Amino acid sequence: MPQDRSPRDDDRPARHDPSLNGLLARAGTAQAPSPDELFAAFARQAQVFIGIADTNLRPVFVNAAGREMVGLSPDDDVSTLSITDFFHPDDQAVIRDVALPTLLQVGHWEDELRFRHFGGGSGMTVHWRAFALYDVDGSFIGAATITTDISARKRAETRLQASEARLQAAVDLVGLSAYSWDPQTGVLDWDARLKALWGLPPDAHIDKQVWLTAIHPDDRPRVEAAVAHCTDPTGDGVYHIKYRVIGIQDGVERWVSTHGRTGFEAGLPVSFVGVVVEVTAQVRAEAALRESEHRLSATLAQLPIGVGLVDPDGTIALANRELRRYALDRIPSVEAEASGRWRAYAPDGRRLSPAEYPGARSLRGETVVPGVDFVYTHPDGLECWTRVRAAPFHNVDHEINGAIVVVQDIDREKRAELALRESEERFRRFAAHSANVLWLADLESGRLDYLSPAFAQVWGMLPEDMPDIASWLASVHPEDRDGAARALERVGSGETFVLEYRIVRASDHAVRRIHDTFFPIPAEDGLIRSAGGIARDITTDTGLRAYVIAVEDDARRGFVGALQAVGYEVQAFASAQAFLKVAVSLMPGCVVLDLAEPGDLVVASELKAARAHLPVVAVGASGGDVGFGVRAMKAGAVDFLEEPWTAEALLFVVRTALAEIDAAADRARGRDEARDRIAALSEREREVLEGLLAGGTNKIIGRTLGLSPRTVEIHRARVMEALGARTLPEAVLMATAAGVRPAGRSDT
């Protein structure tokens, strides 16, 4: 397979006159490069990711810039990788299941995805464009991609969205009302919230006289002076005042704070824009604080959360008992030693700096609600989750005179939330990758609420094509349908039930054997309204499938490469423990186990007892110990391959291991086929078959069933034809394998 290479010195232009005339002069004297040479130089020297794959969509070329983007060296062989390997694990399913199939069908595909970094660094967000390549005859010859790094743009977009969201949240949080005034015409434009502060309905007319009428008489001179100041062309145009309003219709007294600025043209005020917020509660709180700090302190002491008053320099002037648990003299925003014990992170994963902590933000005038979640480390090293809120503390002149901070212990809540999120994520990953079908059903409505992705593989149909329990029962083999229905009844009464049954796939009419665990899901009131289950396809089907377990990267790549080269579907694991965690959900196949450590044989011993459809081939260096391979096989391995091994030897032992599974699959398919054929017999034909199994002649069977020997002979011929048996012993063997018992016998 051709290998890509980095630009060599002879690929770079020599140092010549860089001017246009110089370039044209050399172009006139030198032989012009061919288009292929120009394209090759472009692909090598482009500063974006350029990759080319063959007809099997295996990478054959990645340029130097592309290698640098994903952390590959110039000597790394990209042909050992797949296209999906270049992407973040969370995006690999999109590439595998959507991008590549679409590329092959329509010839192109693009999206914004995340690259991985093979060198262990952080990946990047990219715009990935892929397109199919065709020769002059229109035949598909491969694919190519041109990928650009958009990480910086995506980060900027995220920050902008977060900033806009915070701004809108702040406006909604504090109840701001924007308004405008035309100094030339006197026209006022108010929203419904501002009219409500004046005790007016949303459709009320507003003019200057209405505005002035509601202002408290004691405050009107100050307001008029402030208006005169902001409309004075020699001033700064700023209007900032807090005053009382008496509702025109409701008579309620409210405090409002307004801030605005006048625009001037040719020395005349021509526009004004401002905002108003009701500060009644704040003013009353300030008055209450002035009346009695002692009463406030006593109240704070009773609160189950930490509350404190912070001076402008960050010193905690007042703290209740709960806040003192955090051993603070000054807020972490301004004390380096304390800030080291408080860790918080932005939505993008970046650790917040002390300047971004709620305390520092509130001292700058910002109200931080609902707050920031921190991990706090106690002096004894114990960590706990806390939520910190803060708001600026204003004096009677509305000047920032400190901050109020609230610290709430949310450790139990946060850990439960993280555990639930981790549990849900594990379930989603398990459901997405498990070969088992996970299902949830509403027993009252009969609706199937959830079917995991494996359903499409096992049942041969999309989950949305099976919306309810009735559809599921219809897919169950007729002979097993009653048992499946009874299983649902039992789980509805609170019993966990395990059932093996057969299904008939609608897509290809194939019969599959299912091992299903039914379990009840109680509601909050204890009643069983839902049920769930895990259905596993136990129909043996190996295909060309292998699982490689090797600790060393080189060994693992060696096994995978040798098996994939001849068409095996290979899944690799870096440890025996990682394999055993998911072994129960794997499809049948051969396990290639690299014996790096003696304890690795635990895989063979555990699978020998529990999963016969995963035979283990052990590979190791015996070091002259003739009993080494014997011990491996006694532990459960079906074969032992001595190191150093060859590809031919590896493929031989894997094929041999899979042959036994295939033989078992053939036997199982034979039994299922016999059961299906026997299930199609009429009741009378089955009675004749049972009589034949008991060794009866046509005359004896006829006497037992009340038939003539001739009629028995006709039924016997139909039975032989239905079973596809040429001789009576062959028919007897098929019936016995299918579980048919002779007439007059039972299993009891």
Side-chain angles (χ1 to χ4, degrees), residues 213-293:
T213 299
I215 299 175
H216 194 287
D218 293 344
D219 295 339
R220 188 174 297 177
R222 290 192 303 110
V223 174
E224 292 176 339
V227 172
H229 171 78
C230 75
T231 54
D232 183 356
T234 63
D236 57 10
V238 173
Y239 176 72
H240 186 195
I241 189 171
K242 181 168 59 177
Y243 56 90
R244 287 165 290 176
V245 173
I246 300 175
I248 294 175
Q249 293 186 8
D250 59 15
V252 176
E253 181 180 290
R254 302 177 179 90
W255 279 90
V256 297
S257 176
T258 179
H259 195 136
R261 184 180 291 273
T262 305
F264 298 91
E265 289 184 5
L268 294 175
V270 296
S271 64
F272 178 89
V273 176
V275 293
V276 175
V277 61
E278 181 182 2
V279 294
T280 305
Q282 176 185 322
V283 170
R284 290 173 180 171
E286 291 172 352
L289 180 63
R290 288 194 302 270
E291 288 177 5
S292 176
E293 286 192 0

Side-chain angles (χ1 to χ4, degrees), residues 321-651:
R321 182 176 57 253
E322 286 297 313
L323 185 61
R324 287 194 293 272
R325 289 198 307 118
Y326 299 98
L328 292 171
D329 294 321
R330 306 179 72 197
I331 59 176
S333 309
V334 298
E335 184 175 325
E337 181 180 352
S339 65
R341 299 200 303 271
W342 298 79
R343 304 195 312 275
Y345 301 89
D348 60 3
R350 174 184 57 83
R351 182 170 177 175
L352 296 183
S353 67
E356 298 174 284
Y357 288 1
R361 291 161 60 185
S362 63
L363 289 175
R364 296 195 296 266
E366 182 179 354
T367 298
V368 185
V369 175
V372 177
D373 292 350
F374 284 85
V375 177
Y376 171 70
T377 304
H378 287 274
D380 60 3
L382 181 66
E383 291 186 341
C384 69
W385 281 94
T386 61
R387 180 167 295 151
V388 180
R389 304 176 179 89
F393 178 73
H394 297 89
N395 59 19
V396 292
D397 296 324
H398 201 66
E399 299 169 338
I400 297 177
N401 198 33
I404 299 173
V405 296
V406 177
V407 182
Q408 180 181 1
D409 186 338
I410 59 168
D411 193 66
R412 180 177 299 179
E413 165 195 338
K414 194 72 172 182
R415 294 186 188 277
E417 174 188 327
L418 293 175
L420 177 61
R421 189 181 307 162
E422 182 180 353
S423 176
E424 291 175 346
E425 180 60 26
R426 283 199 302 268
F427 174 80
R428 284 193 292 268
R429 289 199 303 268
F430 174 76
H433 297 94
S434 174
N436 296 334
V437 178
L438 281 69
W439 58 268
L440 296 173
D442 187 318
L443 298 178
E444 293 186 338
S445 67
R447 184 181 65 251
L448 284 173
D449 293 330
Y450 176 75
L451 289 169
S452 67
F455 174 82
Q457 177 68 27
V458 177
W459 259 260
M461 60 192 301
L462 296 175
E464 52 265 31
D465 294 334
M466 184 171 284
D468 49 37
I469 294 174
S471 302
W472 167 73
L473 283 173
S475 73
V476 177
H477 194 285
E479 290 186 357
D480 300 337
R481 197 168 294 158
D482 289 342
R486 286 194 299 272
L488 278 177
E489 293 176 359
R490 294 174 66 173
V491 77
S493 63
E495 181 179 352
T496 297
F497 192 73
V498 177
L499 178 70
E500 288 189 7
Y501 57 89
R502 292 165 292 169
I503 62 169
V504 181
R505 302 201 327 175
S507 58
D508 55 8
H509 303 290
V511 176
R512 309 294 294 180
R513 184 174 297 280
I514 306 298
H515 180 280
D516 208 337
T517 301
F518 300 73
F519 52 85
I521 303 177
E524 291 184 359
D525 57 8
L527 298 179
I528 307 299
R529 298 187 180 91
S530 300
I534 303 175
R536 177 162 54 95
D537 186 351
I538 58 175
T539 308
T540 307
D541 179 15
T542 61
L544 289 177
R545 188 176 295 107
Y547 304 97
V548 171
I549 306 173
V551 175
E552 298 295 333
D553 292 345
D554 291 343
R556 194 162 57 251
R557 283 196 292 266
F559 289 123
V560 171
L563 292 167
Q564 287 181 340
V566 294
Y568 278 83
E569 179 182 342
V570 184
Q571 188 172 351
F573 299 85
S575 70
Q577 291 75 16
F579 173 81
L580 289 173
K581 285 181 180 178
V582 298
V584 68
S585 63
L586 296 177
M587 295 293 289
C590 180
V591 179
V592 178
L593 173 62
D594 183 28
L595 298 178
E597 298 178 4
D600 289 340
L601 280 174
V602 68
V603 173
S605 60
E606 291 196 19
L607 293 180
K608 180 180 180 181
R611 296 299 299 264
H613 65 280
L614 289 173
V616 177
V617 171
V619 183
S622 64
D625 181 3
V626 296
F628 186 85
V630 174
R631 290 192 295 275
M633 297 181 71
K634 283 185 177 181
V638 300
D639 208 342
F640 174 74
L641 182 62
E642 179 72 29
E643 287 186 339
W645 51 270
T646 64
E648 291 77 13
L650 175 66
L651 296 175

Side-chain angles (χ1 to χ4, degrees), residues 4 39 42-52 61-67 69 144-147:
D4 55 326
F39 174 75
F42 161 73
R44 291 193 306 272
Q45 300 173 31
Q47 296 305 302
V48 296
F49 184 107
I50 295 181
I52 301 175
F61 171 81
V62 175
N63 68 343
R67 288 172 175 268
M69 289 171 67
T145 175
I146 298 177
T147 306

